[in-house]
Amino acid sequence: MAKKYVYTFGNMQAEGDAKMKNLLGGKGANLAQMCLLKLPVPAGFTITTECCTDYYANDCKLPDELSLQVWNGVDQIGKIMGAKYGDKDNPLLVSCRSGARISMPGMMDTVLNIGLSTATIPGLIKQTDNERFVYDSYRRLIMMYADVVMEKAEGKAPADGIGIRKILDIRLDNYKESKGYKSDTDLTSEDLKSLAEEFKAIIKEKLGVEFPDDAKEQLIGGVKAVFKSWMGDKAVSYRRIEKIPEDWGTAVNVQAMVFGNMGEDSATGVAFTRDPATGDNNFYGEWLINAQGEDVVAGIRTPNPLNNETKNRHNEHMLSLQESMPEVYKELCDVRNILERWYHDMLDIEFTIQHKKLYMLQCRVGKRTGTASVKMAMDMLKEGLITEQTSILRVSTEQLDELLHPILDAKDEENFKVIGNGLPAGPGGACGKIALSSEEAIRLNKNGEKAILVREETNPEDVEGMRAADGIFTARGGMTSHAALVARGWGKCCIVGSEDLSIDMATKEVNIGGNIFHEGDVISLNGSKGNVYAGEIKMVSATDSPLFKEFMAIVDKYPTLGVETNADNPADTQQALDFGAKGIGLFRIEHMFYGENSEEPLAVMRKIILSDTTEERKAYLNELLPYMKESVKSTLKIMTGKPVTIRLMDPPLHEFAPKDAAQQKTLAKKLGITIDELKTRIEALQEVNPMMGIRGVRLGILYPEISELQFRALFTAEAEARKEGFNPELEIMIPLTISVEELKHQKKLCDKIHAEVEKEQQAMINFKFGTMIEIPRATLVADQIAAITDFFSFGTNDLTQMTFGFSRDDVNSILADYTTKKILKRDPFQTIDFDGVGRLVKMAIESGRKTNPKLRIGVCGEHGGDSESVKFFYQCGINYVSCSPFRVPLARLAAAQASIERAE
Amino acid sequence: MAKKYVYTFGNMQAEGDAKMKNLLGGKGANLAQMCLLKLPVPAGFTITTECCTDYYANDCKLPDELSLQVWNGVDQIGKIMGAKYGDKDNPLLVSCRSGARISMPGMMDTVLNIGLSTATIPGLIKQTDNERFVYDSYRRLIMMYADVVMEKAEGKAPADGIGIRKILDIRLDNYKESKGYKSDTDLTSEDLKSLAEEFKAIIKEKLGVEFPDDAKEQLIGGVKAVFKSWMGDKAVSYRRIEKIPEDWGTAVNVQAMVFGNMGEDSATGVAFTRDPATGDNNFYGEWLINAQGEDVVAGIRTPNPLNNETKNRHNEHMLSLQESMPEVYKELCDVRNILERWYHDMLDIEFTIQHKKLYMLQCRVGKRTGTASVKMAMDMLKEGLITEQTSILRVSTEQLDELLHPILDAKDEENFKVIGNGLPAGPGGACGKIALSSEEAIRLNKNGEKAILVREETNPEDVEGMRAADGIFTARGGMTSHAALVARGWGKCCIVGSEDLSIDMATKEVNIGGNIFHEGDVISLNGSKGNVYAGEIKMVSATDSPLFKEFMAIVDKYPTLGVETNADNPADTQQALDFGAKGIGLFRIEHMFYGENSEEPLAVMRKIILSDTTEERKAYLNELLPYMKESVKSTLKIMTGKPVTIRLMDPPLHEFAPKDAAQQKTLAKKLGITIDELKTRIEALQEVNPMMGIRGVRLGILYPEISELQFRALFTAEAEARKEGFNPELEIMIPLTISVEELKHQKKLCDKIHAEVEKEQQAMINFKFGTMIEIPRATLVADQIAAITDFFSFGTNDLTQMTFGFSRDDVNSILADYTTKKILKRDPFQTIDFDGVGRLVKMAIESGRKTNPKLRIGVCGEHGGDSESVKFFYQCGINYVSCSPFRVPLARLAAAQASIERAE
């Protein structure tokens, strides 16, 4: 039996419905559904997405069996609409539109007014009694068809490289100019008729073929063009950004034309059933009298407001639809209610009014801002339209994220020109004075001024400046570079890896997309889009939203995974607690060597790593003890009663070595050695591939005294905090483990120091002992490792690095190329790679729980704050995720969504 | 029921036999077996290895049930030997010796003459009528016991840090000096008696406890001491080197003492049933009249030859056993025959003659040189003693390896002092003049002189010098460093990572262990041991051995895995063919940029990688084509009819960038840019972690033109070789794959170029398309990858790097520490890590074969030449291994052994 490629709808009946989006695309499924809801929809049919897939599989040929189904479909449209396709007396015109499973607005092509030819024009003129309208439609068809079908789909480009649409547009402009016309509406029927002929001649000349004068040929051309546009450049990049799989394909909707441009009793418009910007329960939209749909979108004319309550200062002088066609408006309000009640969501609709008759051309779930998303979810919950579960699923983590950051005022932003672009590494907006150094950012901050730290790249020594700055803008680095990680962790606006940025540190000149700036000049950043602007754009604050709190209270009714935080200082810790963190999943002990108050301990650390003998090293280690103990104790106290997982020293030692000459000189003096000797020692710490060198637990095995110091600091901190009346829950985490023997080695040291400190402190000291799982081998021997650990914490950043063989510092250009070329579906450092890294994670969980059923398993790292990754981890049976403070609410939301989705 | 810890033997009966080595240790099992073979063995019993394990599990306490079993065993010995332990009239003396599953000669401790005390001395004097003998035995017991039991096992060390044995030795020497004695034999009965009393006093003073005068206490002390010595430093390092698991434990053999020191009709000796150095079928051994076993080993006296036929110029004047005790010698010859016929192997035996009565104290399979190993295997096969399979299993790959390399003359080597030591990276020996640069090594070579290339470390630019040198000696690098890999591949003697070596390039002064050398000074290397000597040591050639060929012919009767080679030039290829390679499993296309004739292509390559635009790059790529085509074609021709697997460009591009100023200047000129601009471009190629950066297939995706060039060169080479009458079997291999999409991308380019070249050449061009599996993710998505590939080749070097997160360039110090501290059992770059990397390999094979049952699977890299790894791969179901030419015979042997072992 032939495949069913065509699904008809019309006359309050339909072969499809809203649930058939995968097959019919969003638009087709919703058109069918609106018919079933008895709404006024022009008749039509949908060619399935499957047909698109078959088309590409079949080397861009339409399936043989399609033709018959299409012409049957066309006949049925004709019957319902009382016209006949290609008929010389009463011709039917149709549109041909794309429609993927999820909306890709403006990314694919559309052809309108199909079916107009020298044969059908006279009949349509007779039927409509409107020659001008018919020729206007005809010239529109020619312009669209030449562009979309003949040039883009069939590849018949003009030899001179200028697009055919551009050529025709220029001709149209010239014509209007020659006649002294200002607007398209000035064109007369005769003008349009002669332009149409001219256009056809230009097409013949430029493209080498005739504009098809056959209605059937036109329709097939339109169908193919829509399919073809699925692989157009715009669509491909959109899919990449939105993570839409290529093999979904698009459907094609062929539908009877209705005309909003048939005079003053006709119109066209778009509307949202609620305000998509604020979420307020107002019917919100725009319409144009005597126009076709594309005119609203194109923005040629300023549209009218839909109703009185949503008028604003730009359009308060204009007539609303409510005022000019109250009957139609009332009908539209009914449609709005029917749709919201059936879809239980806010809808984005398109309508056309032809001679005062309302036609619905489209409805779909509407896009909305983060704020609107949460507002609507909460409102609809209260209205009883949706359940709590649905309200939680309605808000994406990205939308929630928006709520947590100050943003640029979108209206004001439109007044500025984008001068540069980079990776949107930290969402939200920022504006301030350019600071080229951390010192300058700090200075500005102290003066109460806002700073944007602009750097080639940032490194750990810049953290203070990054904290002081309102935004960060760098020329290098990717979405998981140092700057990006730190910025997201703090909820700070950040743009990285911008090729538009170059800095000449000698002249202190900053070049952004060809514009020259100096320190102190003001720029604005949109960290959600990656856009940079010259000058100050207004900001909108978004903190302390009661809506946010109300929403999170609902979210927390569906607990699944624990959500902890990665924090290593009191400020971050408090922030995370405020955002609902249940513990600290990652406290980097080396954090004390960066940022505020790090000078003294860092100086000691430098002496330690550049010592020549174990004895020397031990002496300096003792100097470090009080700093480390205090750093840990202060966090244990804030987190009283909640687990604090402290990871032992992780980075390669050379990271601590002083880089600048002055610091090297001071240090050499302290160590009592020459500067040359110091340089030799620093040199000896260098590694070819530091990421796979001497770091993590390897440090603790090569230099057991370094581990011992840390154990001593932790246990002392625990004992002292407890004595001060707190209830510390200390968890010790060993990084970079590859073998159970490493843990046995460290555990032995740990137990020894534990006994010593218990004796010293005359106290019982509690702790848990666990490890990071971040090297592939650890996942493969997880059964052995689990046998002697209380918990695992997957370090999915490093695990991704090693599993892919991707050095995060080096592969940004590769990652960009790989995602563009579709070799990777997405950046595995942002969303966990299910097939590869994910498989290792699953294996490790299974085998770990086999030898230790009580094993507590978490994830720390960037993936812990990524919604899809969190869902994946939930399915794997993980107990908790840990992410940076600003991602805690997102992780809580993702976790709740994961459990609701599973329950469903 | 109590565990059975004690197995008795004696009087031609035994509870154990030779098969029970795991439980009784090698010595115990063989003693039992000799009893069963009716050979004269002093009665005794063996305490099992299980008891040792229990001892350590039980915190170094002997199991409770052991005591009764021991004393029953002692009683039984007494009954057989006609004496009684601890009896004042007819006391039995026993020895207490270690005995692990496999021999660890000299690594553990022994105590002799146990049971002598003030109570038993008079009885023994009466029994033996030899007071001097009894007191000599007594002072020996005291000296051994104080050292082995009291100090080493019980930890009672003298306060001044000098060992008790040393103190007693000094006292003995002083005593002899005071009496004017020259030899121990000058000591009279009275002397010995008084010395024994003195020794006991010294022990009391220095160790704070009395020497035990109780026979029972002595024996228990001896047993514990043997167990304790299992964890002694020497034993631990030996096990590490020999890869013996720690949990095997040692057995303890308690055996009645017999005495070779009872006068001129007594003697002791050791013998090999065949010559262990040459493998000749001669009974070979040494003996001493009136001596105990330790005297032979200690080398205090020059031993006599066993028989007349094996006399040499050192001992031709001495009486052989054959001459002095012909009856006993005849009996010993019978023993030799019985043992060889029963064991079907060459044995190493120890015997004692007490009053002309022969006692067998030990027999075990004897150690032998590589040559002897092969010779014996072939001889025994011809003698019908063993089967072909056994003859193959008899020769280890290390032994076979010895056969393939010239070596230092072992006798001559003894005359030289080791002045430095490093990692034994390339086996065999070499001597020659120090060359500090490749140029100098080449110059010496051209003059017909031998060179040792001495460098801090080597890099790819040194390959010519490495080839010209007879040996390589470096201060840096590990077993898998560049120098080591290259040297082993060529069968070249090489020592790397020597901490004894430092070079001052300014003064051209070489310091080896404190000795200063200059270029042109002669040194000798033992690459099998890692030893360095000053001066010229004689060399023994070992090439073209007919024995080798004969043996390999037998090996090849048991084919299992294919053995291919890693070779990229005609010389290596020919060498590998001579060694029996069935194809080339890895031809590194970038090899053309190193070594001989590389100047021109490297110059072009440098222009390519430092080009600024794709156009520029493409132009230079075309210049490269002829070089690449010729390089590939010459190898395809030599390998006609055999597969040649060519791996596309793998290294990070910066490896090709010129490092020295002169080359940079030339290149800048060629590119028409400034030197600063060139440096900037070189800088831009640098990576933080190059091993995980832009290399392998990533290059071909970022720069498709580079892949296209390579495909074009390969296909043209194929077509031309075929036209010239050869039968090339081209296999194209993509490196560093992580995703099937990468392969699809490259395959598309490949197919395009394939079609183009077929058209150009008017010829059909055959090829296979496959990939390296060397990144963990590739093993996890192997099912997807297999679906579009003809073959997999595991790159286990890189796979090990990523799975462990070990950068081979950085973790040498870590690896050394990890194996010393027993965190890793062995270097995973030498023998594949079964638990981790091996598991990934298995998973990939299973899932790859699931989607492509015809998939051909190989391993290229160092592990392909490692015997244990080869066996592992065979079990995994791999089709072939590929290794460097000199390892091909080893891999063939390992493969045959793997199949024979499985069949058994």
PDB file of all heavy atoms in Angstrom, chain A residues 743-754:
ATOM      1  N   LEU A 743      43.330   5.417  46.585  1.00  0.00           N
ATOM      2  CA  LEU A 743      42.471   5.771  47.712  1.00  0.00           C
ATOM      3  C   LEU A 743      42.916   5.072  48.981  1.00  0.00           C
ATOM      4  O   LEU A 743      42.869   5.651  50.067  1.00  0.00           O
ATOM      5  CB  LEU A 743      41.019   5.420  47.381  1.00  0.00           C
ATOM      6  CG  LEU A 743      40.424   6.258  46.257  1.00  0.00           C
ATOM      7  CD1 LEU A 743      39.027   5.771  45.941  1.00  0.00           C
ATOM      8  CD2 LEU A 743      40.395   7.726  46.640  1.00  0.00           C
ATOM      9  N   LYS A 744      43.363   3.824  48.837  1.00  0.00           N
ATOM     10  CA  LYS A 744      43.853   3.122  50.021  1.00  0.00           C
ATOM     11  C   LYS A 744      45.048   3.877  50.602  1.00  0.00           C
ATOM     12  O   LYS A 744      45.166   4.045  51.812  1.00  0.00           O
ATOM     13  CB  LYS A 744      44.276   1.695  49.651  1.00  0.00           C
ATOM     14  CG  LYS A 744      43.108   0.751  49.416  1.00  0.00           C
ATOM     15  CD  LYS A 744      43.629  -0.657  49.140  1.00  0.00           C
ATOM     16  CE  LYS A 744      42.508  -1.588  48.727  1.00  0.00           C
ATOM     17  NZ  LYS A 744      43.044  -2.820  48.108  1.00  0.00           N
ATOM     18  N   HIS A 745      45.909   4.320  49.705  1.00  0.00           N
ATOM     19  CA  HIS A 745      47.109   5.065  50.125  1.00  0.00           C
ATOM     20  C   HIS A 745      46.705   6.325  50.885  1.00  0.00           C
ATOM     21  O   HIS A 745      47.204   6.604  51.976  1.00  0.00           O
ATOM     22  CB  HIS A 745      47.925   5.407  48.874  1.00  0.00           C
ATOM     23  CG  HIS A 745      49.196   6.157  49.138  1.00  0.00           C
ATOM     24  ND1 HIS A 745      49.233   7.517  49.295  1.00  0.00           N
ATOM     25  CD2 HIS A 745      50.473   5.730  49.260  1.00  0.00           C
ATOM     26  CE1 HIS A 745      50.483   7.895  49.515  1.00  0.00           C
ATOM     27  NE2 HIS A 745      51.264   6.834  49.490  1.00  0.00           N
ATOM     28  N   GLN A 746      45.763   7.082  50.329  1.00  0.00           N
ATOM     29  CA  GLN A 746      45.356   8.333  50.951  1.00  0.00           C
ATOM     30  C   GLN A 746      44.549   8.090  52.227  1.00  0.00           C
ATOM     31  O   GLN A 746      44.659   8.820  53.199  1.00  0.00           O
ATOM     32  CB  GLN A 746      44.543   9.182  49.960  1.00  0.00           C
ATOM     33  CG  GLN A 746      45.365   9.656  48.765  1.00  0.00           C
ATOM     34  CD  GLN A 746      46.373  10.730  49.131  1.00  0.00           C
ATOM     35  OE1 GLN A 746      46.022  11.823  49.544  1.00  0.00           O
ATOM     36  NE2 GLN A 746      47.661  10.425  49.001  1.00  0.00           N
ATOM     37  N   LYS A 747      43.739   7.028  52.200  1.00  0.00           N
ATOM     38  CA  LYS A 747      42.900   6.729  53.354  1.00  0.00           C
ATOM     39  C   LYS A 747      43.761   6.412  54.580  1.00  0.00           C
ATOM     40  O   LYS A 747      43.424   6.785  55.704  1.00  0.00           O
ATOM     41  CB  LYS A 747      41.972   5.551  53.035  1.00  0.00           C
ATOM     42  CG  LYS A 747      40.936   5.247  54.124  1.00  0.00           C
ATOM     43  CD  LYS A 747      39.922   6.364  54.200  1.00  0.00           C
ATOM     44  CE  LYS A 747      38.758   6.185  55.143  1.00  0.00           C
ATOM     45  NZ  LYS A 747      38.782   5.195  56.150  1.00  0.00           N
ATOM     46  N   LYS A 748      44.863   5.743  54.320  1.00  0.00           N
ATOM     47  CA  LYS A 748      45.773   5.378  55.392  1.00  0.00           C
ATOM     48  C   LYS A 748      46.323   6.656  56.054  1.00  0.00           C
ATOM     49  O   LYS A 748      46.321   6.778  57.288  1.00  0.00           O
ATOM     50  CB  LYS A 748      46.913   4.562  54.800  1.00  0.00           C
ATOM     51  CG  LYS A 748      47.528   3.573  55.765  1.00  0.00           C
ATOM     52  CD  LYS A 748      48.394   2.591  54.975  1.00  0.00           C
ATOM     53  CE  LYS A 748      49.388   1.903  55.895  1.00  0.00           C
ATOM     54  NZ  LYS A 748      50.286   1.016  55.131  1.00  0.00           N
ATOM     55  N   LEU A 749      46.759   7.589  55.217  1.00  0.00           N
ATOM     56  CA  LEU A 749      47.243   8.868  55.750  1.00  0.00           C
ATOM     57  C   LEU A 749      46.127   9.574  56.508  1.00  0.00           C
ATOM     58  O   LEU A 749      46.322  10.109  57.601  1.00  0.00           O
ATOM     59  CB  LEU A 749      47.703   9.790  54.606  1.00  0.00           C
ATOM     60  CG  LEU A 749      48.868   9.333  53.738  1.00  0.00           C
ATOM     61  CD1 LEU A 749      49.134  10.353  52.638  1.00  0.00           C
ATOM     62  CD2 LEU A 749      50.115   9.141  54.588  1.00  0.00           C
ATOM     63  N   CYS A 750      44.949   9.544  55.909  1.00  0.00           N
ATOM     64  CA  CYS A 750      43.782  10.224  56.470  1.00  0.00           C
ATOM     65  C   CYS A 750      43.462   9.650  57.852  1.00  0.00           C
ATOM     66  O   CYS A 750      43.276  10.398  58.820  1.00  0.00           O
ATOM     67  CB  CYS A 750      42.615  10.046  55.501  1.00  0.00           C
ATOM     68  SG  CYS A 750      41.080  10.779  56.060  1.00  0.00           S
ATOM     69  N   ASP A 751      43.441   8.340  57.953  1.00  0.00           N
ATOM     70  CA  ASP A 751      43.094   7.706  59.224  1.00  0.00           C
ATOM     71  C   ASP A 751      44.148   8.017  60.288  1.00  0.00           C
ATOM     72  O   ASP A 751      43.818   8.212  61.463  1.00  0.00           O
ATOM     73  CB  ASP A 751      42.950   6.195  59.042  1.00  0.00           C
ATOM     74  CG  ASP A 751      41.669   5.852  58.284  1.00  0.00           C
ATOM     75  OD1 ASP A 751      40.774   6.716  58.220  1.00  0.00           O
ATOM     76  OD2 ASP A 751      41.567   4.725  57.758  1.00  0.00           O
ATOM     77  N   LYS A 752      45.389   8.067  59.843  1.00  0.00           N
ATOM     78  CA  LYS A 752      46.464   8.362  60.781  1.00  0.00           C
ATOM     79  C   LYS A 752      46.281   9.775  61.366  1.00  0.00           C
ATOM     80  O   LYS A 752      46.270   9.967  62.583  1.00  0.00           O
ATOM     81  CB  LYS A 752      47.816   8.263  60.061  1.00  0.00           C
ATOM     82  CG  LYS A 752      49.016   8.395  61.000  1.00  0.00           C
ATOM     83  CD  LYS A 752      50.330   8.397  60.225  1.00  0.00           C
ATOM     84  CE  LYS A 752      50.613   9.767  59.627  1.00  0.00           C
ATOM     85  NZ  LYS A 752      51.912   9.876  58.956  1.00  0.00           N
ATOM     86  N   ILE A 753      46.095  10.737  60.479  1.00  0.00           N
ATOM     87  CA  ILE A 753      45.939  12.128  60.931  1.00  0.00           C
ATOM     88  C   ILE A 753      44.656  12.277  61.749  1.00  0.00           C
ATOM     89  O   ILE A 753      44.610  12.994  62.748  1.00  0.00           O
ATOM     90  CB  ILE A 753      45.925  13.100  59.729  1.00  0.00           C
ATOM     91  CG1 ILE A 753      47.196  12.941  58.900  1.00  0.00           C
ATOM     92  CG2 ILE A 753      45.748  14.538  60.198  1.00  0.00           C
ATOM     93  CD1 ILE A 753      48.478  13.340  59.583  1.00  0.00           C
ATOM     94  N   HIS A 754      43.610  11.560  61.319  1.00  0.00           N
ATOM     95  CA  HIS A 754      42.339  11.598  62.042  1.00  0.00           C
ATOM     96  C   HIS A 754      42.545  11.197  63.510  1.00  0.00           C
ATOM     97  O   HIS A 754      42.101  11.892  64.430  1.00  0.00           O
ATOM     98  CB  HIS A 754      41.354  10.645  61.348  1.00  0.00           C
ATOM     99  CG  HIS A 754      40.002  10.612  61.978  1.00  0.00           C
ATOM    100  ND1 HIS A 754      39.531   9.519  62.665  1.00  0.00           N
ATOM    101  CD2 HIS A 754      39.013  11.535  62.026  1.00  0.00           C
ATOM    102  CE1 HIS A 754      38.315   9.770  63.112  1.00  0.00           C
ATOM    103  NE2 HIS A 754      37.968  10.987  62.740  1.00  0.00           N
TER     104      HIS A 754
END
